Amino acid sequence: MKRAVTAMLVLLLLGMVAAAGCLGGGGETPTKPETPAEGTSPSSTPSSPSSSEDTSSPSATETQTESPSTTETESPTETQPPSEEDYWENPWEYAPLTIGDETYWITYYKYRYKIQPDQNSPTYEYIVEKSIERSTVSVCGMDLMGNKKDLGEHEVYAYKTVVTPINAAGLENKLTITVWYLSNVSNAFIYPWDVLWLSYASPTGAGDNVFVGMEFEYKGKSFWIMNPAPFQNGLFPCFEGDTELPDAVNEDLGYLYMGWVALIHLGFWHEWSSMNVLVPQSGVWSDGMGHTWKWSTSPDGIVRYSGFTFKLVNFEWSYEGTVEGVKLQGEGKFSPDLPLLVESEGYYSYKDQVTGRTTVIYSYLKLEDLKLEENLP
């Protein structure tokens, strides 16, 4: 099982890099980009739940790994008796937060994001903001003759991503991507954008009855696609605007997606859902087939968002697949009470089995802001 999972990991990394046009040679040791800036200290006076505050200054760092269900394990080692308990129950899921006796939803978050696609490329940096709201859109479709058919207005969930370039590959101004769905789709909020949008361009909408449409806005130009499949079969999606716009921003979007998919899919986040993360501890897993995981966690103060205080936990881990030539290492901070990582920095490297060259990907995330609401829009 581990061989299959690790092989998928290698293919995923190769696919992400190749898709972004970043395959390149290099040595085993990367040059670490500039040290991520520290955050500002939080205000001592909480604001109302709908407001936001800067976080405290968790030092950056994090990594990815696979889910470690193994044949040989070493039990976690606790370094002190537990005084209180907390478990990270919903990592990377769009889940509600329970604060006191009330339930809240994240309706907005802001990440500072860095990606170095390989050790010979620049480090690209962006501010990524994501929000969710209810909206109304006019839907259309096209018949086989190319005639446009109006399908009326429909109420949808609008997932908006605003990408502000700091040091980008091609972006010169803010890029706004809005994706419309009929229902509240958790992955749409966790991911910065819908990478599968092209697959909806068919008379059947690729079998999708939830995706309604998508719009790109950049430098005063726009392009949108509407999917008629949720409302009427037999129609093609309807396009309007600058059809070259998606290609113009595609390189930066590839880099954006590269780090996100690595963070979400390559970590064994759910392993910590059964561990009391308020106790310093560490562990090692090995499957006896050349795949080894090492990890540690320790509590580390608090962070404040949206007027609320959340406990922080440091984490470190590493993974090595000697057969496949894959290495992952990283560190960072999470809160067991938040579904999103607070901070993360890591390296993900693999060796090309044909050329023998190693590619090292560097990624960094820091959660700078989020907003909570008692009810979804």
Side-chain angles (χ1 to χ4, degrees):
M1 180 62 181
K2 278 297 167 191
R3 285 182 181 273
V5 172
T6 305
M8 291 176 64
L9 166 62
V10 176
L11 291 174
L12 176 60
L13 286 170
L14 282 169
M16 288 189 297
V17 177
C22 303
L23 281 174
E28 299 271 348
T29 304
T31 300
K32 184 174 181 177
E34 68 278 5
T35 302
E38 295 289 337
T40 58
S41 298
S43 169
S44 59
T45 304
S47 58
S48 63
S50 61
S51 65
S52 61
E53 298 183 28
D54 289 340
T55 67
S56 57
S57 55
S59 56
T61 39
E62 177 314 59
T63 282
Q64 285 43 257
T65 307
E66 311 155 54
S67 179
S69 54
T70 60
T71 56
E72 298 179 10
T73 66
E74 176 182 315
S75 299
T77 301
E78 297 184 354
T79 60
Q80 68 183 38
S83 57
E84 55 179 330
E85 295 184 8
D86 209 344
Y87 302 84
W88 197 17
E89 296 180 354
N90 300 294
W92 286 116
E93 295 180 354
Y94 191 33
L97 286 63
T98 300
I99 303 176
D101 296 327
E102 302 295 332
T103 298
Y104 295 89
W105 290 87
I106 298 174
T107 57
Y108 164 88
Y109 63 82
K110 176 183 178 181
Y111 269 120
R112 180 174 294 270
Y113 172 75
K114 298 179 184 180
I115 182 76
Q116 186 181 28
D118 65 66
Q119 60 271 40
N120 298 316
S121 75
T123 299
Y124 302 112
E125 184 174 359
Y126 312 86
I127 296 295
V128 181
E129 299 171 89
K130 187 83 179 201
S131 61
I132 176 177
E133 63 181 6
R134 295 301 295 268
S135 182
T136 301
V137 295
S138 297
V139 180
C140 61
M142 303 285 288
D143 63 21
L144 289 173
M145 303 301 294
N147 299 312
K148 184 177 179 180
K149 184 171 183 179
D150 185 1
L151 300 179
E153 291 191 343
H154 297 271
E155 193 173 86
V156 295
Y157 284 90
Y159 297 86
K160 181 175 291 186
T161 302
V162 179
V163 181
T164 302
I166 297 177
N167 179 35
L171 287 182
E172 299 174 347
N173 293 290
K174 285 186 178 182
L175 167 67
T176 300
I177 308 166
T178 305
V179 187
W180 298 290
Y181 291 92
L182 283 181
S183 62
N184 179 22
V185 184
S186 64
N187 280 349
F189 191 68
I190 296 299
Y191 284 92
W193 65 294
D194 190 342
V195 72
L196 298 176
W197 71 276
L198 277 175
S199 69
Y200 305 124
S202 73
T204 61
D208 192 287
N209 61 356
V210 176
F211 173 79
V212 175
M214 187 174 187
E215 181 181 34
F216 296 87
E217 298 174 275
Y218 177 64
K219 297 179 69 173
K221 299 180 180 180
S222 65
F223 168 78
W224 55 257
I225 171 177
M226 284 294 172
N227 178 32
F231 313 102
Q232 182 173 326
N233 292 328
L235 294 177
F236 287 90
C238 183
F239 300 85
E240 190 168 303
D242 186 347
T243 57
E244 296 182 357
L245 183 54
D247 286 338
V249 300
N250 186 59
E251 183 177 7
D252 287 285
L253 287 180
Y255 295 147
L256 185 67
Y257 199 76
M258 180 188 295
W260 239 268
V261 73
L263 283 168
I264 293 174
H265 292 296
L266 307 189
F268 56 87
W269 308 115
H270 283 278
E271 292 299 318
W272 286 323
S273 65
S274 61
M275 299 180 187
N276 178 15
V277 294
L278 299 187
V279 177
Q281 55 190 307
S282 61
V284 177
W285 286 277
S286 175
D287 63 359
M289 300 171 65
H291 310 115
T292 303
W293 300 259
K294 298 179 182 179
W295 63 271
S296 66
T297 60
S298 61
D300 183 41
I302 62 172
V303 66
R304 290 188 180 95
Y305 296 109
S306 201
F308 294 103
T309 298
F310 301 95
K311 295 181 288 289
L312 276 178
V313 176
N314 284 326
F315 68 83
E316 293 186 15
W317 65 13
S318 64
Y319 164 81
E320 183 170 3
T322 57
V323 177
E324 298 82 8
V326 174
K327 294 182 181 179
L328 312 173
Q329 68 180 65
E331 54 188 345
K333 296 178 186 288
F334 66 83
S335 171
D337 303 315
L338 292 173
L340 303 175
L341 279 177
V342 172
E343 194 162 14
S344 162
E345 183 179 51
Y347 295 98
Y348 326 106
S349 68
Y350 63 89
K351 180 176 290 187
D352 188 298
Q353 300 298 312
V354 177
T355 66
R357 296 182 301 184
T358 295
T359 297
V360 182
I361 302 171
Y362 165 80
S363 180
Y364 170 73
L365 275 178
K366 182 174 181 179
L367 184 64
E368 296 194 333
D369 192 12
L370 62 79
K371 294 179 181 179
L372 302 176
E373 302 290 343
E374 291 189 52
N375 299 299
L376 281 173

